Amino acid sequence: MTSLEAFPALPAFAIALVALFAKTTFTSVLQVISRVRAGVFPIPEDARLMRKPPAEAEADFVRRCANIWRNDTENLPLFLALGLTYTLLGAPAGAAQVYFGAYVALRYTHTVVFLLGLQPWRALFYLAGMAVCWAIAVESALLAQIR
């Protein structure tokens, strides 16, 4: 039996993992570029490297990127743990594609509206992503009962 036969959701999980890695990497790069463009460096060694005086605080957009990063580090591990559990329990490929694809799309959209400062959309996309996680959790519990 191949891993795809045993774990049909594995390709969907792998794609979601790579897509979320790409999103967080993009956010990190955007934060660095924004910091350099703003010329504001609160960390003394960064300021020295850029030959600038240390700033009291980050630029607003850099702070927004940092908040997105923090939000991702709080939420993505939960999704990845749930997704991996769901996958290892033998989740069907079709359902996993829907759940994982929806979560990735919601997180990308959440990032865009966060960058643009759009409420209540940011909260709504966050809550929709959490609803997907809860659906995966319930499905995982059901699959665990069957096994």
Side-chain angles (χ1 to χ4, degrees), residues 2 8-9 14-15 22 68-69 73 77-78 82 106 116 119 125-126 132 136:
T2 69
I15 291 168
I68 292 168
W69 180 266
T73 61
L78 297 172
L82 285 168
L106 288 164
L116 297 173
Q119 278 289 28
F125 286 116
Y126 169 79
V132 172
I136 295 169

Side-chain angles (χ1 to χ4, degrees), residues 34-41 52-53 55:
S34 299
R35 183 178 290 125
V36 170
R37 282 187 177 170
V40 177
F41 304 95
K52 300 269 188 179

